[in-house]
Amino acid sequence: MTTLVSTEPVLRASGIEKSYRRGVWPARRTVPVLRGADLALRAGEVVGLVGENGSGKSTLMKVLVGALRPDAGSVTVHGRLGHCPQEPVVYERLTCDEHFELFGRAYRMTVDAERAARRDLYRALGFERYTGTRADRLSGGTLAKLNLGLALLADPDVLLLDEPYAGFDWDTYLRFWDLVAHRRAAGRAVLVISHFVADEERFDRVVALRDGRTAPR
Ligand SMILES: Nc1ncnc2c1ncn2[C@@H]1O[C@H](COP(=O)(O)OP(=O)(O)OP(=O)(O)O)[C@@H](O)[C@H]1O
Ligand SMILES: [Mg+2]
């Protein structure tokens, strides 16, 4: 892990532009979604990203993790990234345990470190009962726990979470915020896409995406 001066962002995005193409020729057109969005995340900071449906929050997050190439702009990251996508990306035939094993290997974790992290995540999110259940047999909420658990597994320096608790029950929702508080105290940076005004007090600051640009709120 890189040692940083505390004021230097662990993630910085500047001037991000992204358009999607819609329709088929000859009615094909380009729809701009991001028009110069900027964002900086510092260690130990929990930031909310808000904006109406279709404003480009998920698009921006995909650009930040490198899953989507922007048309313009730059992203710099110090350290490891974890991403919890809005739509869980899982292998339907693999069990929860098998997912953690696979991701642990991809993150080059030792077997012991992966098992310890996995055990903590099962307990913290309360889905120990499903260790041996295939992903395609999980309920929506448990699938969301697996999706989040995989993002948290390697304890990334920068956590990017796209509506991580949409399917959670109240108890799990509270456990989620406990997990975030622990990561924050450990100096991790966390960006959470949220729709709930009630969450706003849980963030150090909130960034709003509107007309393709970001502004403090
Ligand atoms: N792969 C794609 N191809 C074409 N258009 C897309 C694609 N992905 C997203 N869009 C469009 O880009 C815009 C922004 O989508 P995005 O998913 O980033 O919004 P969002 O802010 O995350 O919305 P929500 O709150 O509903 O999750 C929308 O108009 C959407 O229809
Ligand atoms: Mg979205």
Side-chain angles (χ1 to χ4, degrees):
M1 204 180 87
T2 329
T3 311
L4 294 164
V5 183
S6 63
T7 52
E8 190 190 335
V10 285
L11 179 148
R12 183 192 285 283
S14 335
I16 305 296
E17 295 177 19
K18 180 72 192 175
S19 297
Y20 289 114
R21 288 182 171 191
R22 262 201 217 138
V24 284
W25 190 88
R28 192 164 200 174
R29 59 200 176 98
T30 305
V31 182
V33 174
L34 301 175
R35 308 162 181 255
D38 304 310
L39 189 80
L41 294 178
R42 289 179 178 76
E45 181 173 60
V46 179
V47 178
L49 179 60
V50 302
E52 59 186 42
N53 293 134
S55 57
K57 304 179 298 296
S58 296
T59 299
L60 178 59
M61 200 169 262
K62 285 178 197 163
V63 168
L64 299 180
V65 291
L68 197 64
R69 184 198 285 272
D71 301 327
S74 64
V75 179
T76 334
V77 181
H78 296 278
R80 201 198 288 263
L81 273 181
H83 179 216
C84 178
Q86 189 167 11
E87 302 297 335
V89 180
V90 293
Y91 302 91
E92 48 187 35
R93 287 163 180 271
L94 296 189
T95 65
C96 291
D97 269 347
E98 287 163 346
H99 276 91
F100 282 118
E101 263 172 50
L102 187 70
F103 278 66
R105 260 181 244 160
Y107 291 134
R108 300 180 186 281
M109 298 171 76
T110 64
V111 171
D112 286 347
E114 181 274 310
R115 286 208 181 129
R118 188 200 315 185
R119 199 179 45 235
D120 289 349
L121 286 164
Y122 280 138
R123 195 179 310 130
L125 291 167
F127 67 123
E128 304 94 324
R129 286 168 50 205
Y130 300 99
T131 55
T133 307
R134 278 168 48 156
D136 60 356
R137 314 246 158 103
L138 295 173
S139 69
T142 310
L143 187 61
K145 293 180 189 183
L146 175 63
N147 189 33
L148 176 62
L150 294 172
L152 291 165
L153 183 66
D155 190 16
D157 305 278
V158 183
L159 255 174
L160 304 173
L161 311 177
D162 196 341
E163 299 190 38
Y165 40 75
F168 287 176
D169 56 44
W170 180 249
D171 182 52
T172 310
Y173 171 80
L174 296 177
R175 286 162 179 249
F176 164 79
W177 283 109
D178 280 347
L179 262 175
V180 168
H182 279 109
R183 302 286 157 134
R184 178 179 183 270
R188 310 294 180 248
V190 189
L191 180 70
V192 185
I193 295 180
S194 161
H195 281 295
F196 302 128
V197 180
D199 287 342
E200 292 201 7
E201 65 196 34
R202 299 181 182 272
F203 298 116
D204 294 309
R205 65 195 165 86
V206 175
V207 171
L209 191 54
R210 191 186 304 144
D211 300 327
R213 290 194 189 82
T214 40
R217 214 175 98 141

